Amino acid sequence: MDELIEKAILVAVKLQKDEHFEYELEELHNLAEALDVEVVGEVTQNLERVTNSHYVGTGKVEEIKNFYEEADANLVIFNDELSPSQIRNLERDLDCKVIDRTMLILDIFARRAKSNEAQMQVDLAQLQYMLPRLVGLRASLGRQGGGTGGGFKNRGAGETKLELDRRKIEDQIAKLKRDLEHAKDQRETQRKQRKKNAIPVVSLVGYTNAGKSTIMNQLLNKVGHMESKQVFEKDMLFATLETSVRQIKLPDQKEFLLTDTVGFVSKLPHHLVKAFRSTLEEARDADLLLHVVDVSNAEHRFMMDVTNETLHAVGVEDVPTIYVYNKSDLADMKYPHVAGDNIWISAKEGAGMDELLEIIKKHIFSNYVHCSLLIPFDRGDIVSYLNEHASVSSTSYEEEGTVVQVELKKSDYDRFREFLFVQ
């Protein structure tokens, strides 16, 4: 897949019930672009259902072939996941390289994956996708030749190679699954540690390119974090594949962790959803989700549905959610504007960040307690702990010790309850 080449024809079938067809086709253009593939044309067909043998009707195959030669293309990209037999038949009849939407997305993910774990997840998804399609992906296999006697009387050389390839792939899959399980255990340990420290977790989720990384960087700016903490952001599909976790400490000593997850896209290959399950599980354990929506896109409702369905598929349920309608400046909407758990902002302009922080605080610090504590003089360690981890509004000194007016999290309140001071 490395030599994914420049000129492609896109092919898509529009089914009667598919009202998002135009948008999905536009997205296919963007996916191709993300791999530097030049789209030289597209062929679409209206069908009641895709054709089992060739995805498109057989008459269309001829049309694609002529167009392909005319446009001097060297690749045909299909808008849906093709079955092994469809790939086989299309490659045979078009006599060219055929890839489907799934391969395209997998290839983008493969190029963008930076961390060891993300790379393993992509490798696993690619191998699981390839396994049933070995026969069709003829690039890796010789055509079946005649047997040469011995133990392979009725087998062609291609078939023998298939067996070997299949076994090799199955071994690799098993190894990757083990390694990912190990990585997951490590993350589980980190997560338990965070739970023990009772730091709330806020997770950014949403469609790819909705502005999650920009929001993360703006929030980091807001609380005065250094440039080095910034995460990569770019106006392109799947700019972020890693889960970035950043600690945000507010002026009143309250803190929370902000995590940024991979963006979603329509028809996200289920192998990939499964492979990235562990990354997305960060969202499952969050105390609050920020569902970021590009409100300037006409299809933003559809994108929200895709995001919600994908979250549902990885078991993210019942997590309180704030809907963050980003790019309001491009949508000519009033911003910054707050209505309940919905907020309209422009992350690029940094407009609405204060309001967003306020909503986040209202949700995750609702269990904070205001109280007065009288700390004996010989327990200076508690006073310094409170100064660092709680919001101390005043300190005064009585005969028996130091009196602090403080707002602190419930777990700390329970811990220091014995020092409660009633005036």
Side-chain angles (χ1 to χ4, degrees):
M1 294 263 321
D2 290 340
E3 76 298 351
L4 245 185
I5 329 149
E6 300 65 20
K7 295 181 165 184
I9 305 276
L10 305 186
V11 180
V13 164
K14 180 176 198 246
L15 303 173
Q16 284 165 336
K17 60 183 189 305
D18 191 357
E19 64 216 62
H20 301 290
F21 177 74
E22 304 304 328
Y23 175 67
E24 283 173 356
L25 193 54
E26 182 195 326
E27 199 166 71
L28 190 66
H29 273 268
N30 293 338
L31 289 167
E33 227 167 78
L35 281 173
D36 305 319
V37 173
E38 184 193 334
V39 176
V40 291
E42 57 182 51
V43 177
T44 62
Q45 183 173 27
N46 295 335
L47 290 175
E48 276 188 29
R49 60 169 103 52
V50 301
T51 312
N52 281 341
S53 63
H54 288 75
Y55 176 72
V56 289
T58 39
K60 269 288 174 203
V61 176
E62 206 46 47
E63 188 186 320
I64 295 166
K65 193 170 167 58
N66 294 337
F67 189 9
Y68 171 86
E69 283 162 5
E70 222 171 275
D72 197 25
N74 42 21
L75 183 62
V76 181
I77 302 176
F78 287 78
N79 190 34
D80 289 281
E81 187 166 306
L82 299 172
S83 71
S85 61
Q86 284 169 338
I87 291 182
R88 197 160 57 242
N89 297 337
L90 286 163
E91 288 208 330
R92 184 193 63 220
D93 296 347
L94 291 172
D95 195 28
C96 72
K97 189 174 169 68
V98 165
I99 72 170
D100 61 16
R101 188 184 181 97
T102 301
M103 285 162 105
L104 198 58
I105 294 174
L106 286 171
D107 203 58
I108 294 172
F109 270 61
R111 292 190 191 194
R112 301 275 160 79
K114 296 279 183 294
S115 74
N116 192 22
E117 189 178 2
Q119 281 164 353
M120 287 195 297
Q121 288 171 328
V122 177
D123 287 348
L124 178 61
Q126 283 183 318
L127 291 170
Q128 286 172 326
Y129 172 85
M130 270 174 62
L131 196 54
R133 292 172 176 76
L134 273 181
V135 186
L137 299 169
R138 62 176 188 182
S140 66
L141 301 171
R143 282 275 173 250
Q144 291 197 10
T148 50
F152 298 112
K153 269 195 188 65
N154 304 316
R155 282 192 192 190
E159 210 170 323
T160 319
K161 178 155 171 41
L162 253 178
E163 290 295 314
L164 291 172
D165 277 5
R166 179 158 289 156
R167 208 165 321 139
K168 218 157 60 185
I169 288 178
E170 281 168 349
D171 289 348
Q172 279 175 287
I173 287 175
K175 182 183 182 320
L176 281 167
K177 281 184 167 167
R178 281 196 305 274
D179 292 348
L180 280 167
E181 206 47 52
H182 179 61
K184 186 181 164 189
D185 290 345
Q186 283 180 312
R187 189 156 347 97
E188 211 39 65
T189 311
Q190 290 168 346
R191 218 179 276 154
K192 281 196 182 111
Q193 191 55 44
R194 296 207 296 253
K195 279 255 181 287
K196 213 171 85 189
N197 298 340
I199 299 181
V201 177
V202 178
S203 223
L204 288 154
V205 295
Y207 215 75
T208 182
N209 215 14
K212 296 185 294 299
S213 300
T214 310
I215 289 174
M216 188 175 216
N217 287 338
Q218 289 285 14
L219 287 173
L220 288 166
N221 274 341
K222 196 93 229 139
V223 294
H225 283 317
M226 291 60 67
E227 286 291 305
S228 61
K229 289 268 181 76
Q230 299 275 298
V231 295
F232 179 66
E233 58 177 82
K234 193 169 176 206
D235 182 17
M236 67 178 184
L237 296 179
F238 304 121
T240 316
L241 285 192
E242 320 302 321
T243 300
S244 317
V245 181
R246 298 288 185 272
Q247 192 158 352
I248 298 221
K249 193 159 187 172
L250 302 168
D252 61 5
Q253 308 302 329
K254 293 191 183 106
E255 54 191 355
F256 64 91
L257 291 175
L258 187 61
T259 74
D260 183 11
T261 55
V262 61
F264 303 134
V265 64
S266 67
K267 301 182 181 176
L268 194 61
H270 67 277
H271 291 309
L272 211 49
V273 173
K274 270 175 30 196
F276 274 82
R277 194 184 177 114
S278 53
T279 313
L280 294 168
E281 276 170 357
E282 289 287 345
R284 201 170 71 185
D285 286 334
D287 298 278
L288 179 66
L289 295 184
L290 302 182
H291 182 155
V292 182
V293 180
D294 172 1
V295 74
S296 71
N297 194 308
E299 290 277 358
H300 68 270
R301 289 271 152 216
F302 169 61
M303 296 172 166
M304 289 166 78
D305 293 342
V306 170
T307 301
N308 287 329
E309 281 160 24
T310 312
L311 287 170
H312 191 72
V314 295
V316 180
E317 283 160 0
D318 305 324
V319 181
T321 303
I322 292 169
Y323 287 91
V324 182
Y325 295 101
N326 189 25
K327 308 192 188 181
S328 300
D329 50 323
L330 303 177
D332 287 335
M333 301 187 95
K334 180 182 165 199
Y335 70 97
H337 172 63
V338 179
D341 285 336
N342 301 302
I343 178 168
W344 285 260
I345 66 164
S346 164
K348 200 164 168 232
E349 295 176 1
M353 292 300 131
D354 289 326
E355 292 82 349
L356 181 57
L357 267 177
E358 281 313 307
I359 303 185
I360 293 172
K361 279 155 67 173
K362 202 172 74 200
H363 269 273
I364 58 175
F365 302 128
S366 56
N367 64 346
Y368 269 55
V369 183
H370 283 274
C371 61
S372 295
L373 300 175
L374 173 61
I375 314 289
F377 288 124
D378 62 350
R379 293 303 311 270
D381 57 314
I382 296 179
V383 177
S384 66
Y385 174 87
L386 291 172
N387 280 322
E388 200 177 325
H389 298 283
S391 179
V392 176
S393 50
S394 73
T395 308
S396 57
Y397 302 96
E398 301 284 326
E399 276 176 39
E400 300 83 53
T402 310
V403 175
V404 287
Q405 300 286 340
V406 66
E407 184 191 15
L408 71 182
K409 56 188 173 203
K410 179 80 170 64
S411 54
D412 282 344
Y413 173 77
D414 293 339
R415 223 169 107 196
F416 303 129
R417 209 182 203 128
E418 59 184 286
F419 303 116
L420 273 178
F421 178 59
V422 184
Q423 281 158 311

Short mmCIF file of all heavy atoms in Angstrom, two decimals, residues 387-408:
data_model
loop_
_atom_site.label_atom_id
_atom_site.label_comp_id
_atom_site.label_asym_id
_atom_site.label_seq_id
_atom_site.Cartn_x
_atom_site.Cartn_y
_atom_site.Cartn_z
N ASN A 387 -2.92 24.10 50.90
CA ASN A 387 -2.50 25.22 50.06
C ASN A 387 -2.19 24.77 48.63
O ASN A 387 -2.39 25.50 47.68
CB ASN A 387 -1.28 25.92 50.66
CG ASN A 387 -1.70 26.87 51.78
OD1 ASN A 387 -2.73 27.53 51.68
ND2 ASN A 387 -0.93 26.91 52.85
N GLU A 388 -1.74 23.53 48.53
CA GLU A 388 -1.37 23.05 47.19
C GLU A 388 -2.54 22.42 46.45
O GLU A 388 -2.65 22.54 45.24
CB GLU A 388 -0.23 22.02 47.34
CG GLU A 388 0.54 21.85 46.05
CD GLU A 388 1.70 20.89 46.20
OE1 GLU A 388 2.32 20.88 47.30
OE2 GLU A 388 1.96 20.15 45.25
N HIS A 389 -3.43 21.75 47.18
CA HIS A 389 -4.46 20.95 46.50
C HIS A 389 -5.89 21.44 46.69
O HIS A 389 -6.82 20.80 46.22
CB HIS A 389 -4.39 19.49 46.98
CG HIS A 389 -3.09 18.84 46.67
ND1 HIS A 389 -2.77 18.39 45.40
CD2 HIS A 389 -2.00 18.58 47.44
CE1 HIS A 389 -1.56 17.88 45.42
NE2 HIS A 389 -1.07 17.97 46.64
N ALA A 390 -6.06 22.53 47.39
CA ALA A 390 -7.43 23.02 47.60
C ALA A 390 -7.43 24.53 47.42
O ALA A 390 -6.39 25.13 47.21
CB ALA A 390 -7.90 22.65 49.00
N SER A 391 -8.62 25.10 47.49
CA SER A 391 -8.71 26.55 47.30
C SER A 391 -8.91 27.20 48.68
O SER A 391 -10.01 27.16 49.25
CB SER A 391 -9.88 26.86 46.37
OG SER A 391 -10.00 28.23 46.20
N VAL A 392 -7.83 27.76 49.22
CA VAL A 392 -7.88 28.37 50.56
C VAL A 392 -8.22 29.85 50.41
O VAL A 392 -7.50 30.59 49.75
CB VAL A 392 -6.52 28.20 51.28
CG1 VAL A 392 -6.54 28.92 52.62
CG2 VAL A 392 -6.20 26.72 51.47
N SER A 393 -9.35 30.27 51.00
CA SER A 393 -9.73 31.68 50.83
C SER A 393 -9.19 32.55 51.96
O SER A 393 -8.93 33.74 51.77
CB SER A 393 -11.25 31.82 50.72
OG SER A 393 -11.88 31.14 51.77
N SER A 394 -9.02 31.97 53.16
CA SER A 394 -8.40 32.79 54.22
C SER A 394 -7.76 31.88 55.26
O SER A 394 -8.14 30.72 55.42
CB SER A 394 -9.45 33.68 54.89
OG SER A 394 -10.29 32.90 55.71
N THR A 395 -6.74 32.45 55.95
CA THR A 395 -6.03 31.70 56.99
C THR A 395 -5.92 32.62 58.20
O THR A 395 -5.56 33.80 58.05
CB THR A 395 -4.58 31.36 56.52
OG1 THR A 395 -4.67 30.74 55.25
CG2 THR A 395 -3.89 30.44 57.49
N SER A 396 -6.28 32.10 59.38
CA SER A 396 -6.07 32.91 60.59
C SER A 396 -5.57 31.98 61.70
O SER A 396 -5.57 30.76 61.53
CB SER A 396 -7.38 33.59 61.01
OG SER A 396 -8.38 32.61 61.22
N TYR A 397 -5.14 32.56 62.82
CA TYR A 397 -4.51 31.74 63.85
C TYR A 397 -5.25 31.86 65.17
O TYR A 397 -5.53 32.96 65.65
CB TYR A 397 -3.03 32.12 64.01
CG TYR A 397 -2.29 31.96 62.70
CD1 TYR A 397 -2.10 33.06 61.86
CD2 TYR A 397 -1.85 30.71 62.30
CE1 TYR A 397 -1.46 32.90 60.64
CE2 TYR A 397 -1.21 30.54 61.08
CZ TYR A 397 -1.02 31.63 60.25
OH TYR A 397 -0.41 31.46 59.04
N GLU A 398 -5.64 30.73 65.74
CA GLU A 398 -6.26 30.67 67.06
C GLU A 398 -5.23 30.06 68.01
O GLU A 398 -4.17 29.60 67.58
CB GLU A 398 -7.51 29.76 67.01
CG GLU A 398 -8.56 30.20 66.02
CD GLU A 398 -9.38 31.38 66.53
OE1 GLU A 398 -9.62 31.45 67.75
OE2 GLU A 398 -9.75 32.25 65.71
N GLU A 399 -5.61 30.00 69.28
CA GLU A 399 -4.67 29.40 70.25
C GLU A 399 -4.38 27.94 69.91
O GLU A 399 -3.26 27.46 70.05
CB GLU A 399 -5.26 29.47 71.66
CG GLU A 399 -5.00 30.79 72.33
CD GLU A 399 -5.68 30.86 73.69
OE1 GLU A 399 -5.68 29.82 74.39
OE2 GLU A 399 -6.22 31.93 74.03
N GLU A 400 -5.45 27.23 69.46
CA GLU A 400 -5.25 25.78 69.25
C GLU A 400 -4.62 25.44 67.90
O GLU A 400 -4.26 24.29 67.65
CB GLU A 400 -6.59 25.02 69.33
CG GLU A 400 -7.34 25.14 70.63
CD GLU A 400 -8.18 26.42 70.69
OE1 GLU A 400 -8.96 26.64 69.74
OE2 GLU A 400 -8.01 27.19 71.64
N GLY A 401 -4.55 26.42 67.01
CA GLY A 401 -3.98 26.07 65.70
C GLY A 401 -4.39 27.05 64.61
O GLY A 401 -4.87 28.15 64.88
N THR A 402 -4.20 26.61 63.37
CA THR A 402 -4.47 27.46 62.21
C THR A 402 -5.89 27.21 61.71
O THR A 402 -6.29 26.06 61.50
CB THR A 402 -3.49 27.09 61.07
OG1 THR A 402 -2.17 27.08 61.60
CG2 THR A 402 -3.57 28.06 59.93
N VAL A 403 -6.65 28.29 61.50
CA VAL A 403 -8.00 28.15 60.94
C VAL A 403 -7.94 28.49 59.45
O VAL A 403 -7.48 29.57 59.07
CB VAL A 403 -9.01 29.10 61.64
CG1 VAL A 403 -10.36 29.01 60.96
CG2 VAL A 403 -9.12 28.74 63.12
N VAL A 404 -8.37 27.54 58.61
CA VAL A 404 -8.41 27.83 57.16
C VAL A 404 -9.84 27.75 56.65
O VAL A 404 -10.58 26.82 57.00
CB VAL A 404 -7.50 26.86 56.36
CG1 VAL A 404 -6.04 27.17 56.57
CG2 VAL A 404 -7.76 25.42 56.69
N GLN A 405 -10.23 28.77 55.87
CA GLN A 405 -11.49 28.71 55.13
C GLN A 405 -11.11 28.08 53.79
O GLN A 405 -10.26 28.61 53.08
CB GLN A 405 -12.05 30.12 54.87
CG GLN A 405 -12.34 30.93 56.12
CD GLN A 405 -13.58 30.42 56.82
OE1 GLN A 405 -14.41 29.73 56.23
NE2 GLN A 405 -13.70 30.72 58.11
N VAL A 406 -11.75 26.97 53.45
CA VAL A 406 -11.26 26.23 52.28
C VAL A 406 -12.39 25.60 51.47
O VAL A 406 -13.44 25.26 52.01
CB VAL A 406 -10.25 25.15 52.77
CG1 VAL A 406 -10.92 24.09 53.61
CG2 VAL A 406 -9.50 24.51 51.63
N GLU A 407 -12.15 25.48 50.16
CA GLU A 407 -13.05 24.68 49.32
C GLU A 407 -12.23 23.50 48.85
O GLU A 407 -11.15 23.67 48.27
CB GLU A 407 -13.52 25.51 48.10
CG GLU A 407 -14.53 24.75 47.26
CD GLU A 407 -14.81 25.43 45.91
OE1 GLU A 407 -14.05 26.32 45.50
OE2 GLU A 407 -15.79 25.03 45.28
N LEU A 408 -12.70 22.29 49.12
CA LEU A 408 -11.89 21.13 48.78
C LEU A 408 -12.75 19.98 48.26
O LEU A 408 -13.97 19.96 48.43
CB LEU A 408 -11.05 20.68 49.98
CG LEU A 408 -11.69 20.01 51.19
CD1 LEU A 408 -10.60 19.73 52.22
CD2 LEU A 408 -12.78 20.81 51.84
#
